[in-house]
């Protein structure tokens, strides 16, 4: 019984202090409609000590309690530095619908942050290609903002983003703001032509060609539905991208977030502690479906 | 630490139980009178303890990792937008008196899993923190035991505070920890002699000899089967054959001393409060690994069974547990309506390796 | 000395009657353990039994009597609610058919017996029925004709010793998994297990031999087996001569002889040679167990007649390890039948509700599955409805007065399993809300109506049961508390020992499918769909498993074969339009399964009310249970 984690014990591995067992109360400060069925919730900790200690890495997630309904896993879209604490959630089932019914001022419970997060230091000096489909942009947002906050550390930064229709594009004000950054390249597509849409039409994998993405000295972060994921990976591999340079996140049913309940087991790893971020090479050896 | 040994009379054992009851909840094996079924349950009186009772029908993990427990209670006040929360699991000193070595090994596996990985499971830790572990050597195997194949019996070699073995002169008590030594030091127990140590060894050897040939014979096979399972060389047909026999009842996980999977669910109570329940779960269930979204990574039942045997018998898993995940208690064989308890599965894979011979 | 935390009892979640321990401190239930010494379950439980603790600790309980006032249910005292019920019920003329009573096959014998008394002596009505009896009455009639008493012949424990086990139709590893496990174990010890089933169920996969007949021909197949067996008999003349002395033999034999192997093969898809070969195994077996499902998903009467006839013809039914068992999906289906709650043929409460101009005005209902409320509009329009149940249910919405009942571990009670084994469960948890047991509630309603029965406890009620119920004469709570129950004694029936063949007709079933409606749709078959769904919805893990299928197929599903999927050009989970020959219609997802035959399709029972709506207009779909076939078309 060497490493004792209470609620705010020391975690040797990350140097951060996750909230492990007993949820910490957060306040919903503001709710914004993002796209149909998806809302963004801006949160803050009434307990300022906790707020100070609550530090995250891009790609991590929290376990969020909707009081009376239950707990669910949700990605952290804010950048680790200078960003508002928020989550973006699609209403799909019992808990997420209950969340959507809440109003500003309502409270939630939070445990975490959990998970390994995206590598940040290792990719310095490289080109970054973000590829997202639909709400796959949620887990990537943190990394995009963080990379732009350190723009000088990277080569080209490209976002390839696709959604079913223009109404389904996440974080549109954010995207417009990012586009103000010098050297932030965005390619956005929707599945079918639409009145008033002058941008690309088609699937995201077709954007790879358009953007003329560099494969050498590059990393790609890919998040989206399985069909998109598979076609995009195929395209990257065809272009000779290394399997280690393609990075994604896996989603599994999660109950504890701390590697104990085993609901999130994939192959031989647990997504909550070993993931959710994996390289494509790792994903391939997991021996299970994405 | 060099191991002290003492010889205790039955009277001294009873006295020890009584004494422990002053500061611990004392649990031990006892026989249910109507059905003759053995449970490792809280002792109403020292007399209820039956150290000769066969292996308990349910694993001792029930005490540290119960089938269902409330871990949190909260009440949300929607009007005032406020919440009151309270923790529902509490620390209580517990003495587990007369653990079979397989159950002791099971606790060690759970310790390594719940406490030894990146995070510590606070609920388990709370139940486990003030536990006194007193094991009890098996003088002979019970039906379906095969701990000799999995290095977990018939005697205990690590993890206990105190360990008992019935000898001619009484119970040999071996001390395994400082906590155990402190208890011994507070008593004037007769110190055991080398003759007792020799007798202990003979008793264990005799017990090993009493294991059915099948179990001892399987010893080498367990290693070979682990190898196969780890490398993924078990044929799909074998998994299908096993999967066809699974009735998806979850029993194997519920009775296994080393299964640790659980589910969490918030439920409403009558008075507007909510409880967060934590209950055991099993990888045999279709809904266990349901992913958000619409496909289940482990849908075919044979894949789910494959998951179980990987968990019990593979090297990566053993690395986590510092021993094989199976402790050879044989309970899954008892409770499986499909007849695919772990020993049988070893047989099937063994048959596959030998090409049908045996 | 009794243990601090573990109390033995009997699982109440299906008609197997497995032994279980509940882990309880007398207030709440924390866990479950199987009971190893139990002669039937032998330390095994199914997913339902293993999660009884979740059901028994749910908060979705009815906790107090409720009375509807201005459209809303409000809390009431027992005195008030009972007085109201007594007064209102007195205003109806039971003898004239104005009162109906709908019992539950989950109630204890004590509750069913006192309910029967209330029905007869206080409500003075003959309009009664049991929630899931439909098929069971047919099983009872066939068995009574064959063996002289309405109940299983032999014991479930016979499975453990029999040479030959025949499973007719039922998907037994799902509905009664522990019996399925025992059959599987028997197969592994060397018994010959034969399954007749139109789809490849799990038990079919685990059997020594599976005959996958075309839908609607189960009975024909059983009769063909009879024909082949009889043919062997004729050759071995010296053996077992007296079977042909039994009443009905001549007609039966003549009918069997008329079976044409060509027509058999055309109708069922099974070659007679295969049947002949099987008959040799049957002939060689010294002990034979035959199992079929009974109750709402049970078989039709001709098929059951074919089964009992085959059993008699085998001439092995006197062997202690032989048995013919109607396997019930609900715990006390047999018991509630024994207690006399089953409706009279042609005069049941169901019939009264379904007949628009019947005189029924009031209904007294115990624990009704909300998935299958039939004639809902009629019930809603009745003058007065009383409902009693342990758990909250949609039926409460239809009731004017609601009573709580204890859960099965909160009161003493006996339950009669599929093989007539009567078992006792003792109260091991204090009912949290001082809820009256059913028998006590009924007695108090009787009191308020001016009758005094004088029961003080369940044991006393059971004494009356023993005195008035055939077969139960030797039993008492005291006796039942000693072991693991006891089968009721068929000697209590005058006809016991008399054997008789049922009359059969050989019909070569013509599939009702047409070029326009080419698929034969059947119901049944799903991993986590049980007769207990209204209860299992209140658990956590089994509910998740139940929902699992809905997550994968949110609109429900229809199972078809891979080849048919290719022909229809559909893929798994695609939505299709399903239209039945009488015009009902639904949109449902396709599930492709190698276990179903071409030209057949399955939808699970109760998967969603939508499906019930699709099926309900088919009066006989529910009545014919497993063997009902609906012609449908499927379009992309
Ligand atoms: C690491 C991780 C990060 C996540 N990040 C986010 C996030 O940032 N935003 C977010 O909205 N969700 C996210 N999810 C998914 C989220 O956890 C689930 O949507 C949530 O648990 C659903 O809970 P529920 O009780 O509402 O649904 P349930 O009642 O459990 O499910 C009801 C129905 O919804 C379906 N369903 C559940 N999840 C999804 C899904 N993701 N997509 C489509 N259908 C689904 C189910 O199949 C089912 O039909 C993440 C999950 C993980 C593991
Ligand atoms: S796998 Fe079976 S034999 Fe092994 S420890 Fe678990 S229950 Fe015991
Ligand atoms: S994954 Fe399966 S075998 Fe492993 S601990 Fe969990 S339930 Fe047990
Ligand atoms: S006990 Fe047997 S039947 Fe039940 S889940 Fe385990 S392997 Fe399957
Ligand atoms: S088979 Fe029936 S009686 Fe046995 S545990 Fe399952 S539900 Fe209970
Ligand atoms: S969420 Fe519990 S182990 Fe990953």
């Amino acid at each position: 019984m060497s490493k004792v984690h209470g609620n705010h014990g020391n975690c040797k591995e990350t140097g951060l202090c996750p909230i492990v067992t007993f949820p910490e109360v957060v306040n919903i400060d503001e709710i914004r409609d993002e796209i149909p069925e998806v809302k963004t919730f801006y949160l803050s900790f009434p307990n300022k000590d906790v707020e100070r200690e609550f530090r995250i890495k891009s790609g991590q997630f929290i376990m969020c309690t909707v009081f009376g309904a239950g707990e669910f896993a949700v990605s952290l879209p804010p950048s680790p530095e200078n960003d508002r604490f928020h989550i973006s959630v699609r209403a799909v089932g019992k808990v997420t619908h209950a969340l959507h019914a809440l109003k500003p001022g309502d409270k939630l419970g939070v445990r975490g942050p959990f998970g390994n997060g995206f590598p940040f230091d290792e990719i310095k000096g490289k080109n970054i290609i973000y590829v997202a489909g639909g709400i796959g942009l949620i887990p990537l947002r943190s990394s995009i903002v963080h990379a732009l906050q350190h723009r000088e550390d990277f080569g080209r930064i490209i976002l390839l983003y696709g959604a079913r229709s223009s109404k389904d594009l996440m974080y549109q004000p954010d995207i417009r703001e990012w586009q103000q950054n010098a050297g932030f390249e965005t390619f956005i597509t929707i599945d079918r032509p639409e009145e008033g849409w002058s941008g690309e039409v088609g699937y995201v994998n077709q954007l790879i060609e358009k953007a003329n993405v560099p494969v050498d000295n590059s990393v790609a972060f890919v998040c989206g539905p399985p069909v998109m994921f598979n076609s995009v990976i195929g395209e990257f591999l065809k272009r000779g991208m290394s399997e280690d340079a393609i990075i994604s996140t896996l989603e599994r049913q999660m109950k504890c977030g701390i590697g104990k309940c085993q609901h999130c087991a994939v192959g031989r790893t647990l997504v909550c502690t070993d993931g959710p971020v994996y390289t494509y090479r790792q994903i391939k050896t997991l021996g299970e479906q994405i | 630490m060099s191991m002290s040994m003492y010889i205790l009379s039955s009277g001294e054992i009873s006295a020890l139980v009584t004494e422990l009851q002053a500061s611990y909840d004392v649990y031990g094996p006892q026989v249910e009178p109507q059905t003759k079924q053995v449970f490792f349950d809280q002792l109403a009186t020292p007399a209820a303890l039956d150290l000769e009772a066969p292996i308990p029908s349910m694993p001792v993990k029930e005490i540290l990792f119960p089938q269902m427990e409330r871990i949190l209670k909260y009440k949300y006040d929607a009007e005032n937008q406020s919440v009151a929360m309270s923790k529902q699991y509490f620390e209580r000193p517990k003495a587990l008196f007369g653990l079979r070595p397989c159950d002791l090994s099971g606790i060690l596996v759970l310790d390594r899993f719940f406490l030894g990985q990146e995070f510590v499971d606070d609920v388990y830790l709370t139940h486990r923190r003030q536990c006194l572990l007193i094991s009890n050597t098996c003088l002979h195997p019970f039906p379906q035991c095969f701990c000799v194949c999995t290095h977990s019996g018939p005697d205990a070699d690590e993890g206990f505070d105190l360990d008992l073995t019935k000898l001619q002169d009484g119970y040999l008590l071996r001390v395994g920890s400082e906590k155990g030594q402190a208890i011994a030091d507070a008593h004037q127990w007769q110190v055991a002699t080398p003759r007792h140590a020799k007798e202990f060894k003979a008793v264990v050897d005799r017990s090993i000899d009493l294991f059915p040939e099948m179990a001892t014979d399987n010893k080498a096979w367990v290693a070979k089967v682990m190898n196969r399972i780890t490398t993924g060389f078990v044929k799909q047909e074998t998994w299908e054959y096993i999967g066809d026999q699974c009735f998806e009842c979850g029993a194997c996980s519920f009775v296994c001393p080393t299964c640790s999977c659980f589910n969490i669910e918030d439920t409403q109570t009558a008075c507007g409060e909510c409880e967060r329940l934590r209950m055991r779960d099993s990888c045999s269930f279709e809904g266990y690994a349901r992913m958000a979204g619409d496909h289940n990574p482990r849908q075919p039942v044979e894949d789910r069974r494959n998951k179980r045997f990987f968990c019990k018998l593979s090297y990566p898993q053993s690395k986590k547990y510092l021993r094989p995940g199976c402790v050879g208690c044989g309970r899954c064989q008892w409770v499986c309506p499909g007849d695919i308890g772990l020993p049988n599965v070893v047989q099937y894979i063994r048959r596959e390796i030998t090409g049908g011979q045996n | 000395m009794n243990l601090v935390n573990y109390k033995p009892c009997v699982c109440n979640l299906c008609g197997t009657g497995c032994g279980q321990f509940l882990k309880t401190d007398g207030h709440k239930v924390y866990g479950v353990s199987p009971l190893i010494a139990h002669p039937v379950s032998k330390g095994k439980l199914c997913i339902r039994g293993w999660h009884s603790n979740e059901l028994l600790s749910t908060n979705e309980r009815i906790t107090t009597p409720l009375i509807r006032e201005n459209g809303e249910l409000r809390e009431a005292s027992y005195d008030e609610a009972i007085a109201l019920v007594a007064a209102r019920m007195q205003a109806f003329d039971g003898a004239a058919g104005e009162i109906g009573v709908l019992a539950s096959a989950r109630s204890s014998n004590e509750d069913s017996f006192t309910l029967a008394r209330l029905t007869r002596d206080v409500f003075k009505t003959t309009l009664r029925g049991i929630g899931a009896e439909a098929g069971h009455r047919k099983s009872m009639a066939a068995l009574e004709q064959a063996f002289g008493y309405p109940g299983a012949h032999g014991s479930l424990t016979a499975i453990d010793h029999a040479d030959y086990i025949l499973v007719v139709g039922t998907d037994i590893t799902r509905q009664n998994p522990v019996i399925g496990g025992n059959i599987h174990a028997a197969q592994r010890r060397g018994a010959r297990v034969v399954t007749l089933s139109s789809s490849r169920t799990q038990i079919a996969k685990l059997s020594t031999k599976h005959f996958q007949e075309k839908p609607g021909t189960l009975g024909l197949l059983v009769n063909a087996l009879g024909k082949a067996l009889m043919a062997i008999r004729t050759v071995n003349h010296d053996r077992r001569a007296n079977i042909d002395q039994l009443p009905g033999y001549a007609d039966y034999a003549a009918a069997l002889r008329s079976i044409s192997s060509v027509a058999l093969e055309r109708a069922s898809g099974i070659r007679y040679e295969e049947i002949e070969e099987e008959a040799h195994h049957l002939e060689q077996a010294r002990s034979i167990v035959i199992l079929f499902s009974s109750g709402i998903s049970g078989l039709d009467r001709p098929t059951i007649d074919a089964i009992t006839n085959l059993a008699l013809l085998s001439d092995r039914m006197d062997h202690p390890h032989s048995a013919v068992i109607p396997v019930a999906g609900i715990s006390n289906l047999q018991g509630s039948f024994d207690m006399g709650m089953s409706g009279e043929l042609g005069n049941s409460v169901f019939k009264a509700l379904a007949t628009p101009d019947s005189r029924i005005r009031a209904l007294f209902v115990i624990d009704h599955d909300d998935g299958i409320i039939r004639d809902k509009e009629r019930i809603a329009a009745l003058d007065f409805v009383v409902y009693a149940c342990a758990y909250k249910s949609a039926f409460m919405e239809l009731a004017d007065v609601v009573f709580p009942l204890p859960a099965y571990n909160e009161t003493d009670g006996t339950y009669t399993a599929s093989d007539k084994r009567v078992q006792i469960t003792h109260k091991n948890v204090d009912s949290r809300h001082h809820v009256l047991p059913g028998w006590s509630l009924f007695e108090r309603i009787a009191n308020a109506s001016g009758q005094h029965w004088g029961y003080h406890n369940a044991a006393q009620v059971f004494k009356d049961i023993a005195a008035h119920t055939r077969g139960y004469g030797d039993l008492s709570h005291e006796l039942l508390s000693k072991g693991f129950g006891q089968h009721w004694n068929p000697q209590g029936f005058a006809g016991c020992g008399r054997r008789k063949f049922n009359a059969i007709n050989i019909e070569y079933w013509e599939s009702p499918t047409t070029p326009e409606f080419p698929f034969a749709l059947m119901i049944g078959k799903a991993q986590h769909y049980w007769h207990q769904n209204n209860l299992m919805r209140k658990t956590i893990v089994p509910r998740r498993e139940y929902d699992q299928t809905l997550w994968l197929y949110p609109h429900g599903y229809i199972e078809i074969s891979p080849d048919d999927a290719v022909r229809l050009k559909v893929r798994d989970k695609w939505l299709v339009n399903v239209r039945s020959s009488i015009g009902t219609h639904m949109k449902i997802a396709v599930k492709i399964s190698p276990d179903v035959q071409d030209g057949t399709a399955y939808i699970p029972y109760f998967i969603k009310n939508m499906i019930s709506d699709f099926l309900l207009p088919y009066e006989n779909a529910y009545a014919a249970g497993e063997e009902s076939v609906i012609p449908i078309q499927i379009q992309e």
Side-chain angles (χ1 to χ4, degrees), chain B residues 235-303:
Chain B
K235 287 199 195 107
Q236 186 58 25
E237 295 98 87
T238 306
W239 288 128
E240 270 169 33
Y241 178 68
I242 292 166
D244 275 350
Q245 299 183 56
C246 180
F247 289 39
E248 298 172 51
C249 68
C252 48
S253 308
F254 301 147
V255 301
C256 180
T258 69
C259 273
S260 55
C261 290
F262 59 83
N263 186 21
I264 295 179
E265 183 88 6
D266 288 12
T267 62
Q268 309 262 359
T269 69
C271 43
E273 283 183 333
C274 244
E275 294 172 328
R276 178 159 295 173
L277 301 177
R278 153 160 154 157
M279 69 223 73
R280 284 192 212 143
D281 209 338
S282 167
C283 60
S284 69
F285 295 136
E286 199 175 340
Y288 162 89
R290 179 179 69 82
M291 196 192 71
D294 78 341
H295 68 264
N296 189 325
R298 263 191 268 290
Q299 215 198 351
V301 55
E302 58 264 21
D303 287 359

Side-chain angles (χ1 to χ4, degrees), chain B residues 146 252 255-258 308 312 325-332 342-343:
Chain B
F146 63 105
C252 48
V255 301
C256 180
T258 69
R308 171 170 177 81
K312 297 300 148 201
C326 172
V327 297
C329 69
R331 289 185 181 101
C332 53
L342 191 124

Side-chain angles (χ1 to χ4, degrees), chain A residues 253-264 270-272:
Chain A
Q253 165 98 323
M254 285 187 182
K255 288 291 179 182
C256 71
I258 59 169
K260 303 303 175 191
C261 73
Q262 295 209 54
H263 274 259
C264 66
L270 296 174
V271 175
C272 66

